[in-house]
PDB file of all heavy atoms in Angstrom:
ATOM      1  N   HIS A 174      -0.872  16.103 -18.695  1.00 98.00           N
ATOM      2  CA  HIS A 174      -2.283  15.844 -18.406  1.00 98.00           C
ATOM      3  C   HIS A 174      -2.572  14.351 -18.222  1.00 98.00           C
ATOM      4  O   HIS A 174      -3.310  13.961 -17.321  1.00 98.00           O
ATOM      5  CB  HIS A 174      -3.161  16.418 -19.520  1.00 98.00           C
ATOM      6  CG  HIS A 174      -4.620  16.383 -19.208  1.00 98.00           C
ATOM      7  ND1 HIS A 174      -5.261  17.415 -18.556  1.00 98.00           N
ATOM      8  CD2 HIS A 174      -5.566  15.430 -19.404  1.00 98.00           C
ATOM      9  CE1 HIS A 174      -6.526  17.108 -18.389  1.00 98.00           C
ATOM     10  NE2 HIS A 174      -6.740  15.906 -18.893  1.00 98.00           N
ATOM     11  N   PHE A 175      -1.999  13.540 -19.107  1.00 98.00           N
ATOM     12  CA  PHE A 175      -2.333  12.107 -19.092  1.00 98.00           C
ATOM     13  C   PHE A 175      -1.259  11.260 -18.404  1.00 98.00           C
ATOM     14  O   PHE A 175      -1.370  10.038 -18.388  1.00 98.00           O
ATOM     15  CB  PHE A 175      -2.578  11.605 -20.528  1.00 98.00           C
ATOM     16  CG  PHE A 175      -3.774  12.253 -21.170  1.00 98.00           C
ATOM     17  CD1 PHE A 175      -3.630  13.297 -22.072  1.00 98.00           C
ATOM     18  CD2 PHE A 175      -5.061  11.823 -20.863  1.00 98.00           C
ATOM     19  CE1 PHE A 175      -4.740  13.906 -22.657  1.00 98.00           C
ATOM     20  CE2 PHE A 175      -6.175  12.423 -21.447  1.00 98.00           C
ATOM     21  CZ  PHE A 175      -6.017  13.465 -22.344  1.00 98.00           C
ATOM     22  N   LYS A 176      -0.227  11.915 -17.866  1.00 98.00           N
ATOM     23  CA  LYS A 176       0.858  11.197 -17.152  1.00 98.00           C
ATOM     24  C   LYS A 176       1.466  10.102 -18.027  1.00 98.00           C
ATOM     25  O   LYS A 176       1.538   8.924 -17.640  1.00 98.00           O
ATOM     26  CB  LYS A 176       0.336  10.580 -15.835  1.00 98.00           C
ATOM     27  CG  LYS A 176      -0.403  11.554 -14.950  1.00 98.00           C
ATOM     28  CD  LYS A 176       0.552  12.318 -14.052  1.00 98.00           C
ATOM     29  CE  LYS A 176      -0.117  13.296 -13.141  1.00 98.00           C
ATOM     30  NZ  LYS A 176      -0.538  14.554 -13.728  1.00 98.00           N
ATOM     31  N   VAL A 177       1.840  10.495 -19.206  1.00 98.00           N
ATOM     32  CA  VAL A 177       2.442   9.558 -20.158  1.00 98.00           C
ATOM     33  C   VAL A 177       3.674  10.227 -20.768  1.00 98.00           C
ATOM     34  O   VAL A 177       3.956  11.395 -20.492  1.00 98.00           O
ATOM     35  CB  VAL A 177       1.448   9.205 -21.298  1.00 98.00           C
ATOM     36  CG1 VAL A 177       0.269   8.395 -20.765  1.00 98.00           C
ATOM     37  CG2 VAL A 177       0.972  10.463 -22.037  1.00 98.00           C
ATOM     38  N   ALA A 178       4.410   9.470 -21.574  1.00 98.00           N
ATOM     39  CA  ALA A 178       5.483  10.054 -22.379  1.00 98.00           C
ATOM     40  C   ALA A 178       5.080   9.895 -23.842  1.00 98.00           C
ATOM     41  O   ALA A 178       4.202   9.078 -24.168  1.00 98.00           O
ATOM     42  CB  ALA A 178       6.807   9.345 -22.096  1.00 98.00           C
ATOM     43  N   THR A 179       5.721  10.698 -24.692  1.00 98.00           N
ATOM     44  CA  THR A 179       5.324  10.668 -26.109  1.00 98.00           C
ATOM     45  C   THR A 179       6.503  10.163 -26.945  1.00 98.00           C
ATOM     46  O   THR A 179       7.609  10.696 -26.835  1.00 98.00           O
ATOM     47  CB  THR A 179       4.893  12.075 -26.562  1.00 98.00           C
ATOM     48  OG1 THR A 179       5.891  13.026 -26.170  1.00 98.00           O
ATOM     49  CG2 THR A 179       3.572  12.458 -25.947  1.00 98.00           C
ATOM     50  N   PRO A 180       6.275   9.157 -27.764  1.00 98.00           N
ATOM     51  CA  PRO A 180       7.384   8.574 -28.534  1.00 98.00           C
ATOM     52  C   PRO A 180       7.810   9.459 -29.705  1.00 98.00           C
ATOM     53  O   PRO A 180       7.214  10.511 -29.953  1.00 98.00           O
ATOM     54  CB  PRO A 180       6.790   7.253 -29.026  1.00 98.00           C
ATOM     55  CG  PRO A 180       5.337   7.497 -29.099  1.00 98.00           C
ATOM     56  CD  PRO A 180       5.001   8.491 -28.018  1.00 98.00           C
ATOM     57  N   ALA A 181       8.811   8.979 -30.428  1.00 98.00           N
ATOM     58  CA  ALA A 181       9.352   9.703 -31.583  1.00 98.00           C
ATOM     59  C   ALA A 181       8.230  10.130 -32.522  1.00 98.00           C
ATOM     60  O   ALA A 181       7.318   9.336 -32.814  1.00 98.00           O
ATOM     61  CB  ALA A 181      10.323   8.789 -32.341  1.00 98.00           C
ATOM     62  N   ASP A 182       8.302  11.376 -32.944  1.00 98.00           N
ATOM     63  CA  ASP A 182       7.379  11.915 -33.953  1.00 98.00           C
ATOM     64  C   ASP A 182       5.909  11.915 -33.520  1.00 98.00           C
ATOM     65  O   ASP A 182       5.014  12.015 -34.363  1.00 98.00           O
ATOM     66  CB  ASP A 182       7.498  11.136 -35.289  1.00 98.00           C
ATOM     67  CG  ASP A 182       8.862  11.306 -35.912  1.00 98.00           C
ATOM     68  OD1 ASP A 182       9.489  12.365 -35.688  1.00 98.00           O
ATOM     69  OD2 ASP A 182       9.321  10.371 -36.607  1.00 98.00           O
ATOM     70  N   TRP A 183       5.658  11.797 -32.202  1.00 98.00           N
ATOM     71  CA  TRP A 183       4.273  11.703 -31.719  1.00 98.00           C
ATOM     72  C   TRP A 183       3.451  12.916 -32.153  1.00 98.00           C
ATOM     73  O   TRP A 183       3.930  14.058 -32.144  1.00 98.00           O
ATOM     74  CB  TRP A 183       4.246  11.624 -30.188  1.00 98.00           C
ATOM     75  CG  TRP A 183       2.853  11.558 -29.634  1.00 98.00           C
ATOM     76  CD1 TRP A 183       2.096  10.444 -29.450  1.00 98.00           C
ATOM     77  CD2 TRP A 183       2.051  12.670 -29.191  1.00 98.00           C
ATOM     78  NE1 TRP A 183       0.871  10.787 -28.925  1.00 98.00           N
ATOM     79  CE2 TRP A 183       0.808  12.142 -28.756  1.00 98.00           C
ATOM     80  CE3 TRP A 183       2.245  14.054 -29.121  1.00 98.00           C
ATOM     81  CZ2 TRP A 183      -0.226  12.941 -28.249  1.00 98.00           C
ATOM     82  CZ3 TRP A 183       1.214  14.852 -28.628  1.00 98.00           C
ATOM     83  CH2 TRP A 183      -0.002  14.294 -28.195  1.00 98.00           C
ATOM     84  N   ARG A 184       2.224  12.618 -32.511  1.00 98.00           N
ATOM     85  CA  ARG A 184       1.218  13.648 -32.757  1.00 98.00           C
ATOM     86  C   ARG A 184      -0.070  13.193 -32.113  1.00 98.00           C
ATOM     87  O   ARG A 184      -0.259  11.978 -31.924  1.00 98.00           O
ATOM     88  CB  ARG A 184       0.986  13.840 -34.264  1.00 98.00           C
ATOM     89  CG  ARG A 184       2.172  14.463 -34.939  1.00 98.00           C
ATOM     90  CD  ARG A 184       1.913  14.956 -36.334  1.00 98.00           C
ATOM     91  NE  ARG A 184       3.076  15.701 -36.784  1.00 98.00           N
ATOM     92  CZ  ARG A 184       3.265  17.007 -36.590  1.00 98.00           C
ATOM     93  NH1 ARG A 184       2.341  17.730 -36.002  1.00 98.00           N
ATOM     94  NH2 ARG A 184       4.358  17.600 -37.013  1.00 98.00           N
ATOM     95  N   PRO A 185      -0.979  14.118 -31.759  1.00 98.00           N
ATOM     96  CA  PRO A 185      -2.234  13.708 -31.150  1.00 98.00           C
ATOM     97  C   PRO A 185      -2.911  12.610 -31.971  1.00 98.00           C
ATOM     98  O   PRO A 185      -3.022  12.728 -33.200  1.00 98.00           O
ATOM     99  CB  PRO A 185      -3.066  14.994 -31.131  1.00 98.00           C
ATOM    100  CG  PRO A 185      -2.041  16.079 -31.069  1.00 98.00           C
ATOM    101  CD  PRO A 185      -0.884  15.593 -31.897  1.00 98.00           C
ATOM    102  N   GLY A 186      -3.352  11.560 -31.288  1.00 98.00           N
ATOM    103  CA  GLY A 186      -3.968  10.411 -31.966  1.00 98.00           C
ATOM    104  C   GLY A 186      -3.029   9.216 -32.016  1.00 98.00           C
ATOM    105  O   GLY A 186      -3.471   8.075 -32.131  1.00 98.00           O
ATOM    106  N   ASP A 187      -1.719   9.473 -31.923  1.00 98.00           N
ATOM    107  CA  ASP A 187      -0.754   8.366 -31.892  1.00 98.00           C
ATOM    108  C   ASP A 187      -0.739   7.740 -30.494  1.00 98.00           C
ATOM    109  O   ASP A 187      -1.078   8.401 -29.499  1.00 98.00           O
ATOM    110  CB  ASP A 187       0.663   8.863 -32.206  1.00 98.00           C
ATOM    111  CG  ASP A 187       0.813   9.339 -33.648  1.00 98.00           C
ATOM    112  OD1 ASP A 187      -0.101   9.059 -34.458  1.00 98.00           O
ATOM    113  OD2 ASP A 187       1.828   9.990 -33.950  1.00 98.00           O
ATOM    114  N   ASP A 188      -0.275   6.490 -30.446  1.00 98.00           N
ATOM    115  CA  ASP A 188      -0.143   5.817 -29.150  1.00 98.00           C
ATOM    116  C   ASP A 188       0.875   6.559 -28.278  1.00 98.00           C
ATOM    117  O   ASP A 188       1.803   7.188 -28.787  1.00 98.00           O
ATOM    118  CB  ASP A 188       0.343   4.379 -29.346  1.00 98.00           C
ATOM    119  CG  ASP A 188      -0.714   3.514 -30.043  1.00 98.00           C
ATOM    120  OD1 ASP A 188      -1.841   4.014 -30.252  1.00 98.00           O
ATOM    121  OD2 ASP A 188      -0.402   2.352 -30.360  1.00 98.00           O
ATOM    122  N   VAL A 189       0.682   6.440 -26.956  1.00 98.00           N
ATOM    123  CA  VAL A 189       1.598   7.081 -26.005  1.00 98.00           C
ATOM    124  C   VAL A 189       2.270   6.002 -25.154  1.00 98.00           C
ATOM    125  O   VAL A 189       1.817   4.856 -25.119  1.00 98.00           O
ATOM    126  CB  VAL A 189       0.845   8.083 -25.092  1.00 98.00           C
ATOM    127  CG1 VAL A 189       0.391   9.296 -25.884  1.00 98.00           C
ATOM    128  CG2 VAL A 189      -0.336   7.409 -24.387  1.00 98.00           C
ATOM    129  N   ILE A 190       3.333   6.391 -24.485  1.00 98.00           N
ATOM    130  CA  ILE A 190       4.110   5.446 -23.678  1.00 98.00           C
ATOM    131  C   ILE A 190       3.720   5.593 -22.205  1.00 98.00           C
ATOM    132  O   ILE A 190       3.706   6.712 -21.681  1.00 98.00           O
ATOM    133  CB  ILE A 190       5.616   5.718 -23.873  1.00 98.00           C
ATOM    134  CG1 ILE A 190       5.993   5.416 -25.339  1.00 98.00           C
ATOM    135  CG2 ILE A 190       6.453   4.892 -22.907  1.00 98.00           C
ATOM    136  CD1 ILE A 190       7.413   5.771 -25.709  1.00 98.00           C
ATOM    137  N   VAL A 191       3.407   4.466 -21.574  1.00 97.00           N
ATOM    138  CA  VAL A 191       3.035   4.516 -20.149  1.00 97.00           C
ATOM    139  C   VAL A 191       4.317   4.412 -19.321  1.00 97.00           C
ATOM    140  O   VAL A 191       5.320   3.885 -19.798  1.00 97.00           O
ATOM    141  CB  VAL A 191       2.030   3.396 -19.781  1.00 97.00           C
ATOM    142  CG1 VAL A 191       0.746   3.552 -20.563  1.00 97.00           C
ATOM    143  CG2 VAL A 191       2.633   2.010 -19.984  1.00 97.00           C
ATOM    144  N   PRO A 192       4.281   4.931 -18.074  1.00 95.00           N
ATOM    145  CA  PRO A 192       5.505   4.877 -17.260  1.00 95.00           C
ATOM    146  C   PRO A 192       6.026   3.441 -17.156  1.00 95.00           C
ATOM    147  O   PRO A 192       5.246   2.493 -17.030  1.00 95.00           O
ATOM    148  CB  PRO A 192       5.033   5.402 -15.899  1.00 95.00           C
ATOM    149  CG  PRO A 192       3.843   6.254 -16.211  1.00 95.00           C
ATOM    150  CD  PRO A 192       3.176   5.614 -17.388  1.00 95.00           C
ATOM    151  N   THR A 193       7.337   3.313 -17.221  1.00 94.00           N
ATOM    152  CA  THR A 193       7.970   1.988 -17.177  1.00 94.00           C
ATOM    153  C   THR A 193       7.623   1.278 -15.875  1.00 94.00           C
ATOM    154  O   THR A 193       7.532   1.913 -14.820  1.00 94.00           O
ATOM    155  CB  THR A 193       9.512   2.166 -17.302  1.00 94.00           C
ATOM    156  OG1 THR A 193       9.771   2.794 -18.555  1.00 94.00           O
ATOM    157  CG2 THR A 193      10.241   0.841 -17.256  1.00 94.00           C
ATOM    158  N   ALA A 194       7.466  -0.029 -15.973  1.00 94.00           N
ATOM    159  CA  ALA A 194       7.160  -0.837 -14.782  1.00 94.00           C
ATOM    160  C   ALA A 194       8.202  -0.559 -13.706  1.00 94.00           C
ATOM    161  O   ALA A 194       9.399  -0.570 -13.979  1.00 94.00           O
ATOM    162  CB  ALA A 194       7.172  -2.315 -15.177  1.00 94.00           C
ATOM    163  N   GLY A 195       7.722  -0.323 -12.500  1.00 94.00           N
ATOM    164  CA  GLY A 195       8.643   0.025 -11.408  1.00 94.00           C
ATOM    165  C   GLY A 195       8.908  -1.137 -10.484  1.00 94.00           C
ATOM    166  O   GLY A 195       9.582  -0.972  -9.460  1.00 94.00           O
ATOM    167  N   SER A 196       8.375  -2.299 -10.810  1.00 95.00           N
ATOM    168  CA  SER A 196       8.654  -3.464  -9.962  1.00 95.00           C
ATOM    169  C   SER A 196       8.659  -4.707 -10.845  1.00 95.00           C
ATOM    170  O   SER A 196       8.080  -4.710 -11.941  1.00 95.00           O
ATOM    171  CB  SER A 196       7.585  -3.608  -8.871  1.00 95.00           C
ATOM    172  OG  SER A 196       6.356  -4.000  -9.463  1.00 95.00           O
ATOM    173  N   CYS A 197       9.283  -5.765 -10.329  1.00 96.00           N
ATOM    174  CA  CYS A 197       9.345  -7.029 -11.088  1.00 96.00           C
ATOM    175  C   CYS A 197       7.927  -7.560 -11.303  1.00 96.00           C
ATOM    176  O   CYS A 197       7.604  -8.092 -12.378  1.00 96.00           O
ATOM    177  CB  CYS A 197      10.176  -8.061 -10.341  1.00 96.00           C
ATOM    178  SG  CYS A 197      11.907  -7.595 -10.262  1.00 96.00           S
ATOM    179  N   GLY A 198       7.066  -7.346 -10.271  1.00 95.00           N
ATOM    180  CA  GLY A 198       5.687  -7.838 -10.372  1.00 95.00           C
ATOM    181  C   GLY A 198       4.942  -7.166 -11.513  1.00 95.00           C
ATOM    182  O   GLY A 198       4.271  -7.831 -12.313  1.00 95.00           O
ATOM    183  N   THR A 199       5.065  -5.839 -11.588  1.00 94.00           N
ATOM    184  CA  THR A 199       4.382  -5.103 -12.670  1.00 94.00           C
ATOM    185  C   THR A 199       4.941  -5.526 -14.023  1.00 94.00           C
ATOM    186  O   THR A 199       4.191  -5.730 -14.989  1.00 94.00           O
ATOM    187  CB  THR A 199       4.547  -3.574 -12.480  1.00 94.00           C
ATOM    188  OG1 THR A 199       4.112  -3.239 -11.175  1.00 94.00           O
ATOM    189  CG2 THR A 199       3.760  -2.784 -13.491  1.00 94.00           C
ATOM    190  N   ALA A 200       6.269  -5.679 -14.095  1.00 95.00           N
ATOM    191  CA  ALA A 200       6.892  -6.094 -15.360  1.00 95.00           C
ATOM    192  C   ALA A 200       6.316  -7.449 -15.787  1.00 95.00           C
ATOM    193  O   ALA A 200       5.957  -7.640 -16.962  1.00 95.00           O
ATOM    194  CB  ALA A 200       8.408  -6.168 -15.191  1.00 95.00           C
ATOM    195  N   LYS A 201       6.193  -8.357 -14.828  1.00 95.00           N
ATOM    196  CA  LYS A 201       5.684  -9.704 -15.139  1.00 95.00           C
ATOM    197  C   LYS A 201       4.216  -9.627 -15.584  1.00 95.00           C
ATOM    198  O   LYS A 201       3.815 -10.236 -16.584  1.00 95.00           O
ATOM    199  CB  LYS A 201       5.813 -10.562 -13.875  1.00 95.00           C
ATOM    200  CG  LYS A 201       5.580 -12.021 -14.106  1.00 95.00           C
ATOM    201  CD  LYS A 201       5.954 -12.790 -12.850  1.00 95.00           C
ATOM    202  CE  LYS A 201       5.340 -14.172 -12.939  1.00 95.00           C
ATOM    203  NZ  LYS A 201       5.186 -14.771 -11.630  1.00 95.00           N
TER     204      LYS A 201
END
Side-chain angles (χ1 to χ4, degrees):
H174 189 89
F175 296 100
K176 309 274 180 282
V177 293
T179 49
D182 296 331
W183 179 86
R184 291 193 172 271
D187 292 347
D188 292 354
V189 290
I190 295 174
V191 298
T193 299
S196 70
C197 293
T199 306
K201 191 171 163 203

